[in-house]
């Protein structure tokens, strides 16, 4: 595996992804938790929860799954119960990350497009309840993934590796669960995020035209619009996060549709066609990259976040200077 170009690519890509994503998400959690970025508590709750789940995705899917599989293929992580647990955690954190992006997009849709409901819905209490509900349901939904595996080998009474049980493909109950899983993650979230963004853009365009007409009648064409300036940061943040999600999950979404419509199987060893392997692995690589892109979005769109980040970088430097004085 290491000797092939694909194996070398994976062996380099995933450690770099973890090296960038883990400290970046930790920095986001610390900076946003301090509450000095000028964001509402509601938005902060969503962004912190998204950073936490993205961090967990990097730990479970990238470090414990991909990196461990490449560099430590025969470690205790490959024992079947541990392997099954890793898989269930991987699916659960992935589901939490996806659905928290949906709830954040919906929250911003409500804040921008539904002013009457905004006061009741866009609060820190509602955000905390929504986050707790999403995480609980995601974990419950993916508990069953633990039970779909059986060992590939049993050596000295120790089961090794994870192989999907035949009953998963033959049982109508498992087939129904598989369809529910695919619909809930990633098909429905992808469609909902697209829908909320289209509705939000439509509302913004209509509102902007109405405000321009109103300001034209009031002879205020040359003055800045404080209302639009106030909402611009929130709008830019929303579209940057949801837009990056759509772009980075698009290939993964296409892969899922390809598997279902064409009736092919996911990657299962050397019998898998080269084109299908490239499609699936490229989708997964982009999907996992989405777990470390948000910190860069915050740094690029939020000036106060950049200031906090700069202060955080400068603090160790000032501390070292003081120690050597």
């Amino acid at each position: 595996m290491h000797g092939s170009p694909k194996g070398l690519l994976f062996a380099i890509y995933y450690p770099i992804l973890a090296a960038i994503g883990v400290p970046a998400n930790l920095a986001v959690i610390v900076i946003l938790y301090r509450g000095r970025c000028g964001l509402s508590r509601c938005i902060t709750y969503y962004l912190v929860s998204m950073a936490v789940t993205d961090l967990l995705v990097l730990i479970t899917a990238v470090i414990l799954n991909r990196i461990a599989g490449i560099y430590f293929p025969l470690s205790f992580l490959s024992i079947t119960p541990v392997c099954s647990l890793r898989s269930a955690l991987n699916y659960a954190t992935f589901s939490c990350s996806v659905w928290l992006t949906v709830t954040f997009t919906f929250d911003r849709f409500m804040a921008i497009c539904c002013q009457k409901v905004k006061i009741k819905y866009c609060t820190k209490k509602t955000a905390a309840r929504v986050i707790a509900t999403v995480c609980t349901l995601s974990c419950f939904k993916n508990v069953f993934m633990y039970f779909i595996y059986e060992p590939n080998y049993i050596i000295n009474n120790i089961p090794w590796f994870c192989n999907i049980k035949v009953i998963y493909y033959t049982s109508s109950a498992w087939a129904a669960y598989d369809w529910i899983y695919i619909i809930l993650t990633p098909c429905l979230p992808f469609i909902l995020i697209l829908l909320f963004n289209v509705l939000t853009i439509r509302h913004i365009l209509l509102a902007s035209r109405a405000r321009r007409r109103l300001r034209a009648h009031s002879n205020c064409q040359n003055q800045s619009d404080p209302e639009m300036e106030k909402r611009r940061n929130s709008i830019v943040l929303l579209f940057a996060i949801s837009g990056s999600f759509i772009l980075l999950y698009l290939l993964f979404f296409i892969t899922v549709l390809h598997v279902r419509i064409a009736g092919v199987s996911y990657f299962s060893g050397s019998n898998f066609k080269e084109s299908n392997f490239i499609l699936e692995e490229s989708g997964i690589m982009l999907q996992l990259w989405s777990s470390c892109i948000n910190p860069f979005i915050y740094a690029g769109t939020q000036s106060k976040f950049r200031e906090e980040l700069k202060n955080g970088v400068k603090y160790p430097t000032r501390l070292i200077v003081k120690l050597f004085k």
Side-chain angles (χ1 to χ4, degrees):
M1 183 71 174
H2 287 276
S4 68
K6 293 190 292 290
L8 183 61
L9 173 64
F10 299 151
I12 295 172
Y13 176 79
Y14 290 115
I16 291 175
L17 187 65
I20 294 173
V22 170
N25 279 293
L26 284 173
V28 166
I29 294 168
V30 172
I31 291 172
L32 293 179
Y33 181 77
R34 288 162 62 88
R36 298 178 182 178
C37 294
L39 299 170
S40 69
R41 298 300 296 173
C42 175
I43 295 177
T44 301
Y45 275 29
Y46 281 113
L47 297 186
V48 170
S49 66
M50 288 162 64
V52 170
T53 53
D54 284 343
L55 178 63
L56 292 175
V57 168
L58 290 168
I59 293 171
T60 57
V62 177
I63 297 175
L64 295 181
N65 190 3
R66 295 279 164 160
I67 295 177
I70 293 169
Y71 289 97
F72 310 102
L74 296 176
S75 69
F76 78 98
L77 293 172
S78 297
I79 297 174
T80 302
V82 181
C83 176
S84 300
L85 180 61
R86 284 193 297 125
S87 179
L89 289 173
N90 188 10
Y91 284 113
T93 54
F94 163 62
S95 180
C96 284
S97 177
V98 169
W99 276 101
L100 285 175
T101 305
V102 175
T103 56
F104 170 75
T105 307
F106 179 73
D107 177 85
R108 292 301 87 201
F109 164 75
M110 296 292 285
I112 294 169
C113 304
C114 308
Q115 294 295 313
K116 293 182 180 179
V117 187
K118 172 185 174 181
I119 299 173
K120 291 183 178 180
Y121 182 82
C122 300
T123 64
K124 63 180 183 180
K125 286 186 179 179
T126 301
R129 289 169 184 166
V130 169
I131 292 166
T133 302
V134 165
C135 293
T136 302
L137 291 177
S138 295
C139 291
F140 175 76
K141 175 174 72 74
N142 291 285
V143 163
F144 301 99
M145 299 303 292
Y146 178 86
F147 301 100
I148 71 172
Y149 297 104
E150 61 184 4
N152 268 7
Y153 311 101
I154 298 178
I155 303 173
N156 296 328
N157 292 325
I158 300 175
W160 287 92
F161 303 108
C162 286
N163 188 42
I164 297 178
K165 296 175 181 176
V166 175
I167 194 173
Y168 186 78
Y169 301 104
T170 58
S171 168
S172 56
W174 278 117
Y177 175 80
D178 185 56
W179 272 105
I180 291 170
Y181 181 87
I182 293 300
I183 291 169
L184 291 179
T185 313
C187 295
L188 185 58
F190 193 88
I191 293 168
L192 288 176
I193 289 175
L194 271 176
L195 175 64
F196 292 142
N197 275 280
V198 169
L199 293 175
T200 303
I201 291 170
R202 178 177 175 275
H203 175 84
I204 291 170
L205 292 175
L206 293 174
S208 297
R209 290 170 189 167
R211 290 184 70 83
R212 278 198 298 269
R213 287 195 297 267
L214 180 62
R215 289 168 65 80
H217 289 303
S218 304
N219 297 320
C220 298
Q221 300 97 316
N222 297 325
Q223 298 179 14
S224 62
D225 190 342
E227 180 63 23
M228 290 306 295
E229 291 287 340
K230 182 180 177 182
R231 296 168 64 185
R232 183 169 292 135
N233 280 344
S234 178
I235 293 169
V236 169
L237 184 64
L238 166 64
F239 290 154
I241 291 174
S242 56
S244 68
F245 176 89
I246 291 169
L247 289 174
L248 293 172
Y249 272 78
L250 180 60
L251 188 57
F252 181 71
F253 182 68
I254 291 171
T255 303
V256 172
L257 293 181
H258 173 66
V259 167
R260 297 292 161 173
I261 295 171
V264 299
S265 301
Y266 287 110
F267 172 60
S268 58
S270 58
N271 292 327
F272 200 76
K273 293 179 181 179
E274 187 74 12
S275 58
N276 290 336
F277 176 83
I278 293 172
L279 179 67
E280 182 193 2
E281 284 299 320
S282 299
I284 291 173
M285 290 169 77
L286 289 175
Q287 171 204 340
L288 293 174
W289 176 252
S290 70
S291 296
C292 68
I293 197 69
N294 282 350
F296 299 96
I297 291 174
Y298 306 150
T301 61
Q302 305 294 309
S303 58
K304 291 185 178 179
F305 181 88
R306 286 196 299 272
E307 287 299 319
E308 288 294 309
L309 185 60
K310 289 177 184 176
N311 292 335
V313 172
K314 290 177 182 177
Y315 179 76
T317 306
R318 290 196 297 264
L319 193 62
I320 292 171
V321 171
K322 286 181 181 179
L323 288 173
F324 283 94
K325 277 187 177 180

